[in-house]
């Protein structure tokens, strides 16, 4: 005789819904946006179907459409013209630069949305790296000064949360001190705690034209083979004052999301990165998979692994799905 029948709890849709352990909500999401110079610009990213780069004026229209769908949090990223890039990313601290202008305009027109900004040198660096390059080496401590100034400029423009994505040692503590010393106690830090040297970032680098000009990022981004190392990074970021811990990428690192969730009381974020988005989107457009169902399953797996917050290019598609 069969005494245990788990299928009873799958018998119909109502029962399945009652015992469902994980649920996605729109409040879980931060929607990344790409910003470019110019006027009336809306340019699709070829390797990311459905995702565009916007000039500031059209960006406001995109934010308005997202807000109408119920999206409340955004992560803007700037595509900086080559002529403004240099070895020390000086444009990143220009208060009248593209990124601070965009932040101010979004907050002026949509004061209730939350903006999480990216703190890293690569969009502004002529070398395309997240740190200063000296004699072929990405130097750590000198880079912290640049990151601190960048974070302060973003906070002054209206950022609610800054996201150091550079993976330099000590950057969370340095940024926290700079923000606090300048009165920005309310600005949070979402640290890219476990950011791996991944092959899944390619379309993002296409969108920002920010690929490294020499070498790779393996001396500062984490080795995909390592998991215990993520606990070291998480402990340091927590000690230095991070308000959130992030894992990037998400889908190939669900175990790392779970590891941080089980070992930290801070909110855990996960970045469902450009390559992960592109794979599902492209296969869906080809008819090889059901794109919508694959999107939902992927996002649900990230939440199930333990993420409280999901940065995803699917955020708008998910919002539209909820309105069906």
């Amino acid at each position: 005789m069969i005494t245990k029948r788990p299928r009873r709890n799958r018998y119909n849709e109502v029962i399945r819904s009652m015992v469902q352990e994980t649920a996605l909500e729109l409040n879980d999401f931060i929607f990344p946006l790409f910003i470019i110079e110019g006027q009336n610009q809306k340019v699709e990213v070829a390797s990311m179907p459905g995702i565009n780069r916007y000039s500031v004026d059209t960006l406001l229209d995109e934010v308005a459409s997202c807000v109408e769908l119920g999206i409340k949090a955004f992560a803007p990223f700037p595509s900086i013209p080559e002529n403004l890039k240099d070895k020390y990313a000086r444009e990143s601290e220009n208060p009248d630069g593209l990124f601070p202008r965009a932040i101010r305009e979004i907050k002026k027109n949509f004061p209730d949305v939350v903006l999480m900004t990216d703190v890293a040198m690569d969009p502004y660096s002529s070398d395309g790296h997240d740190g200063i390059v000296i004699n072929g080496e990405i130097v750590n401590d000198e880079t912290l000064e640049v990151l601190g100034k960048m974070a302060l400029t973003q906070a002054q423009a209206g950022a609610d949360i800054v996201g150091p994505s550079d993976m330099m040692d000590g950057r969370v503590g340095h940024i926290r001190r700079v923000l606090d010393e300048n009165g920005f106690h309310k600005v949070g830090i979402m640290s890219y705690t476990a950011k791996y040297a991944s092959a899944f970032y390619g379309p993002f680098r296409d969108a920002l034209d920010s690929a490294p000009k020499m070498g790779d990022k393996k001396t500062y981004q984490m080795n995909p083979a390592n998991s215990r190392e993520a606990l070291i990074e998480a402990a340091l970021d927590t000690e230095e004052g991070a308000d959130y811990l992030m894992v990037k990428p998400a889908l190939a690192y669900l175990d790392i999301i779970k590891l941080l969730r089980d070992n930290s009381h801070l909110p855990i974020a996960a970045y469902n990165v450009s390559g992960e988005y592109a794979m599902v989107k492209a296969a869906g457009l080809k008819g090889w998979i059901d794109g919508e169902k694959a999107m939902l399953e992927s996002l649900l797996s990230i939440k199930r692994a333990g993420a409280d917050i999901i940065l995803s290019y699917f955020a708008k598609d998910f919002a539209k799905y909820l309105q069906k």
Side-chain angles (χ1 to χ4, degrees):
M1 179 181 293
I2 301 175
T3 58
K4 301 293 185 181
R5 293 184 181 269
R7 286 185 58 192
R8 293 190 190 108
N9 286 346
R10 307 174 201 146
Y11 179 68
N12 62 36
E13 180 62 31
V14 175
I15 292 174
R16 289 194 297 271
S17 296
M18 284 194 303
V19 300
Q20 181 168 314
E21 300 172 25
T22 307
L24 287 168
E25 299 178 4
L26 198 51
N27 287 338
D28 299 332
F29 288 89
I30 297 176
F31 188 31
L33 298 167
F34 297 123
I35 311 166
I36 55 175
E37 288 281 12
Q39 292 288 322
N40 197 33
Q41 297 292 307
K42 179 181 176 181
V43 182
E44 186 172 50
V45 181
S47 52
M48 299 178 70
I51 298 298
N52 300 289
R53 302 191 296 175
Y54 299 93
S55 54
V56 175
D57 54 338
T58 58
L59 177 73
L60 296 178
D61 294 334
E62 174 66 2
V63 173
S65 70
C66 291
V67 169
E68 191 171 333
L69 288 168
I71 298 172
K72 301 174 183 178
F74 301 87
F77 294 89
S79 178
I80 304 299
E82 284 296 324
N83 66 306
L84 296 178
K85 297 180 181 182
D86 64 35
K87 187 178 189 67
Y88 300 99
R90 292 183 179 92
E91 180 63 14
S92 68
E93 57 186 275
N94 176 9
D96 298 315
L98 172 64
F99 201 30
R101 281 190 283 115
I103 295 167
R104 286 195 297 270
E105 284 299 310
I106 296 172
K107 293 299 286 188
K108 181 175 75 174
N109 287 275
F110 307 96
D112 295 330
V113 305
V114 166
L115 291 185
M116 177 208 157
T117 55
D118 182 52
V119 179
M121 283 182 58
D122 55 336
Y124 310 90
S125 167
S126 54
D127 293 307
H129 276 286
D130 296 65
I132 298 171
V133 181
I134 298 178
N135 296 325
E137 178 184 352
I138 292 84
V139 295
N140 193 95
D141 295 12
E142 295 89 336
T143 297
L144 299 185
E145 295 300 316
V146 177
L147 300 176
K149 293 175 182 177
M150 188 188 310
L152 179 59
T153 299
Q154 295 173 3
Q156 290 169 334
D160 301 285
I161 302 168
V162 296
S165 63
D166 55 286
M167 291 301 288
M168 297 296 120
D169 294 337
R171 88 272 201 208
V172 172
H174 181 79
I175 290 170
R176 185 72 271 163
R177 284 192 297 275
V178 170
L179 293 176
D180 288 353
E181 287 169 1
N182 287 275
F184 290 98
H185 306 283
K186 292 182 181 178
V187 174
I189 297 177
M190 183 180 290
S191 174
Y192 286 60
T193 294
K195 181 179 180 180
Y196 285 84
S198 172
F200 289 101
Y201 301 148
F204 178 93
R205 291 172 182 167
D206 291 344
L208 298 188
D209 191 23
S210 61
K213 302 299 189 293
M214 45 76 68
D216 54 40
K217 301 192 175 188
K218 293 181 179 178
T219 66
Y220 47 100
Q221 294 180 357
M222 286 177 56
N223 184 344
N226 293 356
S227 60
R228 294 191 301 272
E229 188 178 358
L231 293 176
I232 297 172
E233 293 284 358
L236 289 170
D237 287 352
T238 302
E239 182 182 336
E240 291 175 24
D243 300 286
Y244 317 79
L245 306 179
M246 187 200 293
V247 176
K248 181 181 179 181
L251 291 178
Y253 298 87
L254 296 176
D255 60 320
I256 308 301
I257 298 171
K258 181 69 163 61
L259 185 66
L260 294 195
R261 174 71 289 148
D262 289 346
N263 288 277
S264 176
H265 295 296
L266 289 178
I268 304 299
Y271 201 142
N272 180 209
V273 299
S274 59
E276 296 170 339
Y277 169 89
M279 286 192 304
V280 172
K281 204 71 171 178
L285 290 171
K286 285 284 190 180
W288 295 338
I289 60 173
D290 184 315
E292 184 176 89
K293 288 181 179 178
M295 170 191 75
L296 295 172
E297 188 174 341
S298 298
L299 295 173
L300 191 66
S301 74
I302 298 168
K303 182 79 177 287
R304 187 185 66 241
D308 303 290
I309 301 163
I310 303 172
L311 287 82
S312 179
Y313 303 96
F314 282 121
K316 193 173 184 181
D317 288 344
F318 179 69
K320 291 178 179 177
Y321 164 81
L322 292 179
Q323 294 199 345
K324 288 184 177 180

